[in-house]
Structures are given as C-alpha cells and as structure tokens.
Amino acid sequence: MASRSIRPVPAPSQSINPVPAPCLPINPFQAHASPLALCQPHANLLVPFQPHPSSMQSHLSIPALCRPHANIRASLQLLSPFQPYSSPFRLRSSPLALSSPMLSQPPTSADPAWVGPEALSPGWGGEEEETPGGDGPDGSGHSDGAARAYERLQSALRREGLPRTEERPAEPGAGFGPLDMTVCILGSPSTFLPVLLEGGSRCPGAMVLCLSPAWVTRVPSESSPGSWSLLLSRGVSFGRGGHSALETFTPPRRANYVLGTYGTGDPAGGWVPELTRDLDCPTGGSEPLRRRLEDPVLGRWVLAARAGLAVPPCVAFVGGARRGELPAGLRGPGVKVVRMEDGREAERAVREELGAFLGGADMEQYGEVAVRPAGWRWRGSGARSTHGKAEGAAVARAVGARLRALRDDDGVLVEALVPSARPPAPPPRSPAPRLPMALRICTLVCRSWGDRPQLCQVSCSVGRAEAPVHHGAALPQGLDSSLQHWGVLAPEQRQALATRLRAAAEATMAAVLATEAELSPEQRGGARAHTDIMGVDFLLDDSLELVALSTNSQRCLETCLLADAMGRAVGQPHGDTARLLAEAMLHRAQRHLVEGKDILLIGAGGVSKSFVWDAARHYGLRIHLVESDPEHFAAGLVETFLPYDSREHRRDEEHAERVTELLRSRGLQPHACLSYWDDCVVLAALVCERLGLRCSPPAAVRVAKQKSRTHQHLQRCRRGRPAPAAFAVPCCRLQSHGDVERAAGTVPFPAVAKLEFGAGGVGVKLVESPEQCHEHAARLWRDLRDDADHPGIGLGWGNAMLLMEYVPGTEHDVDLVVFEGRLMGAWVSDNGPTRLPAFLETAACLPSCLPADRQAQLVQAALQCCLACGLRDGVFNVELKLGPAGPRLLEINPRMGGFYLRDWILEVYGADLLLAAVLVALGLPPVLPARPAPRTHLAGVMCLGSEHGAVLGAGGALRALRELQSRGLVRLNRLFEETAADGEYEEPCLSVACAAETRAEACLRLLGLCQALGIDSPRYPVEHFLSHFK
C-alpha cells in the first residue's frame, strides 16, 4: 500500500448540512462536470451533496457534496481510479468549500494558506478601523466597498505617521489638461500604498487611487478606435510629505497609465478587471495576463523553455477546455503537458504518461513526487499528496481522483520533490533536533526603463521541507542573512549566488514579455496591456543551485513591501522597491502623454542623428522638419518636410521670422520646438520665442554657442561658493593676426586654438608659441571659410577663432537634463587621451571611472555654468577637464550630447535624452532615475578614415562589425557614411564599443576585437587609449 502525506485543507466557512441527500453517479472526464461536485476518488461511488445556502430556495432538489465515509476512503487504494460513467445530469457549480482532506476548492480570501502579508502584520490591510465621525469617501459613512477601502487607507496612513486624507470640495474648471499626467491605481489601497506615496513625492498630484467603480467612466477612445479611455471623476491623489487628498475632478482626468489590484481575494475589487480591459493607455497588467502568470503549467513552461531555467521535472494533465490557452506543442526541458479527452482512452494515456515520466531520465536524481491541482484559480494551493517515485499505482490513483474533482479548464500537476538545501548541522553534542527546513526565495521584477526587466527586491521565507512554503505563511527575511544561516559564509559565494538570482529573475520576465508579445490583444486583455510587475519564486536545492518554482502577479510585491516596512521599523533605510515601481509607472505615463504630439524639429543633422527618426516613430511623435537640404534622406521619414535654407546662421533672426511664416501658411501649430543639431540651436530658440513655446532664452543659447563669450560671461559671475567664475578659463577671440598678438599677452602658452563656433573637434590644435598660433590661424582661415568647405562644424556662424589656456587633467562629458533651473538628471562619461596636437577623441567609457565625489564635482560645475549662462530648460552637453584643483570648463553645447552619447546612456542607464528633451520642450518635468544604477559597462574606441579606412573597407572589418552588431556583441555608432580621410580637419567616422558586467572586462573584449580586426596598430595603440580607464 502506498504511503501518502496529505496536507489538510482548511475547514469551509459555511457549515455542511448533514441531512441525507439524493445520490448521483459521477463521470471523472465529463466535459461539463462541476468543479466542486466532482470530488470523490472513485467513479462507482454514489455521492450525496448539498446546495449552497444562498441557493437552497431555488434549487432545493439539487443534491450537495459531502465528505465520503472513512471506510470507503480506506478502500479507495484497492479500486481502479478509471471507470467512467455517463452522467444523466449536468451538475450546477456550488461555491461551498469541501472538507475532504484529499481534495479542495480553489482558494478564497478566507484561505489562510494564501492570505497576503496582512495576516502577519495587521497594518497591511487586514485591519479595518472605523473612520472617526463616520467620514468616508462620500461623507455619508455607508459601509460599502469604497467606504471600507477608504477606512483601510486612513488606517494605513496613520500607522505610517502620515496625515489623514484631506477632503477637497469640487472646483469646476480645475480639472486636468491634455499635458497633465495621471497614473491610476484601481482597487485595494494597501497593496500599492508605498508606491503611491513615492510617486506623489516625485510628481505631486500625478498618482491617483480609485476605490470605487463609480469614480471612473469608460468612454470610446478618440485616438485608438476599438479601445477605451478611462476618465476619473473622483480619486485620492498623493503629494509631497505623504499628504493625500480626496478630490472630485471637473472635468474628469484622463488616465495615462492604469494598474489594478487583480486577484487579491478582495470581493470588493471584482470590478477592476473589466475596467482595465482594452484601454488606450499603457496598462500594467490585466486579468488574462494575471491568470497566465498564476497558471503553474504555463509558468513552468515559460521558466524552462523560454527562460532556460532549471525547474522541478513535471508532467501536467489538462482538460480540453484549455486547448486554446496553451501553445501547441507545449513542452520544455523537464516539462510536459498532456491534453486529456473524455472516455476510456484517458485512463491508458494517464498510465502511459506517468510511467514514462516516473521512469524517465529527468526523474533519475529524485525519489518523490507531489500531485496537486494546477490552474490559475488555485494559485499554488489545494490539497497536495506526496508519493515515492516507485509507487506508480498510488500516483495514478491520486491523479485520477483530482481529475474527477476539477473543472475541465484546470488540471493536475505531477512534479518532482526537489531536495532543498539544509542548514549546517548543530554541534555534535547539541540536544537540539535537526528539522528538515526549506528556503524559498521570492524575487520582485518590474519592466523598467527601455522596457528592460529589473530586479527590484529579494526576500526569503523559511519553512518545513516536507510542505510548501507559501507567501504569507512566514515573515520575510533578507537573502544575505538567509544564505549565511544556510552555511554560505564566504561573501564572494553569496554575491555570486545573488548575481545568478538577478539574472534568472530578469530572464524570466524577459521570457514572459516575449511570450506576451506573441498573444493577440484579446488574449492580453488589450493592445496596451503588458505585465509590468511580477514575482518569481525559487528554491535553493541541496547543491545550492537555484530551482525556479513559479511566477505570480502581485504576491511577491506584497511580500517584498512587507519586508521593506519591517526593515524601516528597526532603523533600516527605505528600500528601492517603491521608488523603482513609481518611476516605471510615471515614465510610462509620460510616454503616453507625448504620443501624437506635433514636434517642430530645426535641422536634421547627418547620419549620426539617424536614431532620431526611429525614436520619433517609437514614441509616436509627429515630426515637422525644417531642413536646409531639400534632398535630405529624412524627408520621407517625417510627418511634414519643410525645406528652408538656413545655413547662414548670422541671419538667424530673419530665418526665425520666415520659419514662423512657413508654419502659419501650412496651418501647423506645434506643441514643442527644439533642435538636436549644433548649428541650429539658436534658430530653434528664436522660433520658440516667437511661437510662445518653452525653451531657454535665445540670448542664453547664444552665450553658450559662442565659446569665448561663454568663458568671458562666466568670469563676470562671481556670486556663489564657489562662483561660476572658478570654472572659466582665460581666452581671447581671434578674428585677425592682430588679435593673435594681443591674445599672446593674455593667454599663457602652451594654449589651445580652435574655432569659435566649431564642433566635432575640427580645427582644434595645441600651439606652443604665438608663431604656431599665427601659422595655424592662417591655414584655418584659408581652408575653412564657410559651410560648404566643411558642413556641420559651425562655419555658418563664420570662421572666427579663439585662443584659450591649456588645461591639464582628464577629459569628461557631463550630460544634463534641466527643467525650470532644477537638475532632473546627470550622467558623467570619461574620454581617453586625445591625439595631440589635434585633440582627436580616441576612446570613451561609461559609467565613469571616477569616484562618486569627483563625479559630483563635475556635475555641480556643469550645472552652475549652464545656469549662470541662463540655460534653465533643456538637455545640455558640457565638456570639462578635471585636474587636482577640480573641474574647469572647456565648452557648453546647448543641445543633447552627440555621436554615441545618447545611445550609450540609454543602454547603460535606460534614460533617453531624446525623450527628455521632448518632455522639457513640452513643459513637462521628465521623470528620470533618481539613483541610476548602471546595467552594464561600455568601453569604446573611435575609428579614423586615415588610420582605418582600408581595414574597414577592403579589409572587411566593417562588414564583420555589422554582423557582430546584429548579434548584440558590439555597438556601432557612425558619424559619416564614408570612411575616407579628411587630412588635417579629420573627424572620427565610427565608434566601436563592447559591453560587459565590469569595466575591465569590457576593455579586454574591445582590445581583443580591435586586435583581431586590425583597428589596433602601432600608429593607433588601442591598449594605450584604454589604459586610462582604471
């Protein structure tokens, strides 16, 4: 006889009437069997059952289910589990829970095995304190769902030491406009409260909690036919300092991002799924997507087949109703799905599949299996029995019993019991018994910047090894302390395991997102519905390897937020979970806000700006392009192409008038105007001024554009500690050889001579004496007269020069996002040694090698210089040198960083400077990572036509690099199409970069690549260029 360990099922909340009832034969494979009536372990058994109390009056003749007699239960192991009968009746489903220790109903909110963290900490939504004075969301004190949710919100705020929600009267006309942001959370106030508070501190008023379906309205979308817009007439908004307000919105607010509390077990939240279906704004989940995440069969397949993770070997038996839900050929390493059909063939199929599974190679290292219900509604609960691998008959009986008791859209899962890691043994003479314990690791992952998975938090739970460790069954604890308790004492070993855990959790979410992309909008619950937050549970096995168990929707979120709250209670700093989730939601809401906006772009730029057109399409921007070249390749990539010759930029005032007239003649009314092209930044500022659009003042942009004026202006700015003058460098403007003589008496040699309005490092040279300066100026004034001589380097402003003091130190780029004078984001990158005397850029790396305090010096100096010049709104690139005495300014570029910088920052940090520039131009403060953590390290080297033209062209290196780029192994950024040399006025034609987890590894990969392709040479020593990145 097989030995089995049966987990007891919680007693039902309703009592079962013991009065005998009629009997009914049961078919275990009947397609329309009731999920609750088919519960008995043998087909021949006539089972009495009882109706639900709520339906007794109308269905008195329907029999009810009850517990089988003990002696019948004892004899079940001697009977065949597969003797199907044809039932003359179709049973009506009953919501009653069953008291049988073998089988159970899907969990409800009363099931203690799956309640959330509120079961462990009453402050997490389980406690309903009465609101003083009977105040509620409608001021009436009625105990409806919204009033109870409102009371729970007030209780949670009080426990956090925050003021109660202020109730504001309706103010007609105080609603939100088309550029105002609304992140709407529907349902339970407790699950997302920390996220609402964090989001409210970042963007006051943008986070809104909706507690009742009466507060929202679905209206047909104006922008997406077939979709719906969600309008909020009422809600609780959150601001700085933990303040909240219950507001009535007139006119209603339109949601830009929606997330609901799905499947929390709260009956009052049953309205959430329908409201979030088929919305026209980004939706961070849906009921169909939640069910996919909670389904153990689909979850195991995604974990094994799509994410490539180790899972407990398993075989699942599912009903025919799931044929459309599960992909055809659903199978992965260690995972097999068997679709069941009605009739006697099912018996043989189950026996054959179980025999193949139990005797297969996947089960060689395991000695026991567990049999449990499988389906999204069970959420990992339900009665579970364990059996030895050799007890095939007992396993078959357990499978048959469960198949008879389940709905045909559920299933039965047979999985290997993975031996879990055990803590170290107690001392030899210790009287303490050694109990078998298991460590379950809970990870929370979100879809972060650039739609990339990001691990937010990890928490652990410990329980007995012979029973599942459920969420909410134990208080969470940290990963590091748990691993130490489990005997992983070496810090490097714990770090390595944490790194593997991060990779596995993020790979799971990437696999889930890829799987969702293959679904239809109807299957996802809407075209804009995606899983933005999910949990992944792991087990640490006896060899200290990670075994992926399951995915879930919001249970890991509740566990991790509880762990964060527990840490704060003992003085730990706030974790990053709430911040990361709030940033991701706000970012998606802002992306929705810019969709369909009309953006006037001045100047298309060259090949290096090709990313602009792809990004505009990705963000849904309508670009109206003003460009001097009527044959520019971007003409067919924009909404409106407006050819206008503005290359003579000394006439930009006149150009601005004509551009505005051109817009009026076309009937164009752009929402924003900006330029990413260095030559056109002043013209863009003048057009903005005439159109009343947001931009830094034209006078400020002029000061920044002209290098000598920048330094001379800063030298007069002597307020502050330190004053901006501390970062300026002595310099003089050169328009004639007489100016050279006068400058020689002011600027010490060696000095740097370069174009006043130059770009790309063209014409920059180190001069050791006045004679060298005269010689360089004469040659430059002769060769570079106007834009036709060398397009795109500022010659439309003339060819005046400047002489400035040479500043020793390392060179760095600081890219800033500034809104209304506030720093919204900053990124520091390092440049390798330049090739003297022309100062050609050779190499770069991101993140910076500098310690945090030195990076802070550069950021502060860059910000002070921009603000002192009057640059208060925009995205700016500032070039500085850092010496022993601190930063010194080289120049300010009043536009987004060029060449590779935008792509690199997007890759490493996820923040898009292009989108940030659009948001600022629209008058919206961009939401950017508050504490950006690098995802990777990039090291790159520049290629020159003079050095590498032959290697890149006839040598095939460029073709090889493109192939490597298509496989994601390198990053290429092209400045020009051609690789021919330009002699003395040469610019880099290409940037080649490699990514890795560490800077040293990235540099090593890049060096090996350059040596293999011939980019490295004695004349161009790549190893030397990279040696500065320590």
Side-chain angles (χ1 to χ4, degrees), residues 341-505:
E341 303 293 344
D342 292 345
R344 295 185 178 274
E345 293 298 321
E347 174 184 352
R348 186 169 62 252
V350 169
R351 291 187 181 279
E352 290 176 355
E353 293 294 344
L354 282 176
F357 171 70
L358 296 173
D362 291 336
M363 284 294 298
E364 285 184 358
Q365 58 180 320
Y366 304 104
E368 291 184 295
V369 296
V371 181
R372 63 182 176 93
W376 62 267
R377 60 175 47 82
W378 294 88
R379 308 205 308 273
S381 67
R384 184 186 85 139
S385 61
T386 60
H387 311 267
K389 182 173 62 173
E391 300 167 354
V395 176
R397 282 192 291 273
V399 171
R402 281 163 177 77
L403 285 174
R404 286 191 295 277
L406 300 175
R407 294 172 53 160
D408 57 359
D409 59 349
D410 286 330
V412 175
L413 187 69
V414 182
E415 60 182 344
L417 287 180
V418 179
S420 60
R422 295 191 175 188
R429 296 184 179 180
S430 172
R434 186 185 182 188
L435 301 177
M437 307 298 288
L439 178 65
R440 185 181 185 122
I441 303 175
C442 160
T443 62
L444 179 67
V445 195
C446 74
R447 188 163 67 104
S448 185
W449 305 89
D451 295 335
R452 291 190 176 184
Q454 180 172 4
L455 180 66
C456 298
Q457 190 170 339
V458 178
S459 65
C460 300
S461 298
V462 177
R464 294 292 294 267
E466 66 272 15
V469 185
H470 292 309
H471 289 272
L475 288 171
Q477 58 192 52
L479 175 66
D480 197 69
S481 63
S482 299
L483 292 178
Q484 291 187 59
H485 180 72
W486 246 252
V488 186
L489 302 179
E492 59 274 10
Q493 190 178 2
R494 296 198 303 273
Q495 181 59 45
L497 197 148
T499 301
R500 297 202 309 272
L501 181 65
R502 172 183 292 275

Side-chain angles (χ1 to χ4, degrees), residues 602-603 625-630 641-649 651-662 680 683 687:
I602 310 294
L625 175 63
V626 177
E627 168 55 35
S628 298
D629 180 7
F641 185 69
L642 303 170
Y644 175 79
D645 191 354
S646 63
R647 287 175 295 180
E648 179 50 69
H649 288 287
R651 299 166 51 200
D652 269 354
E653 293 280 355
E654 176 186 340
H655 296 324
E657 288 293 339
R658 293 187 176 179
V659 168
T660 53
E661 291 174 5
L662 185 60
C680 300
L683 176 57
V687 172

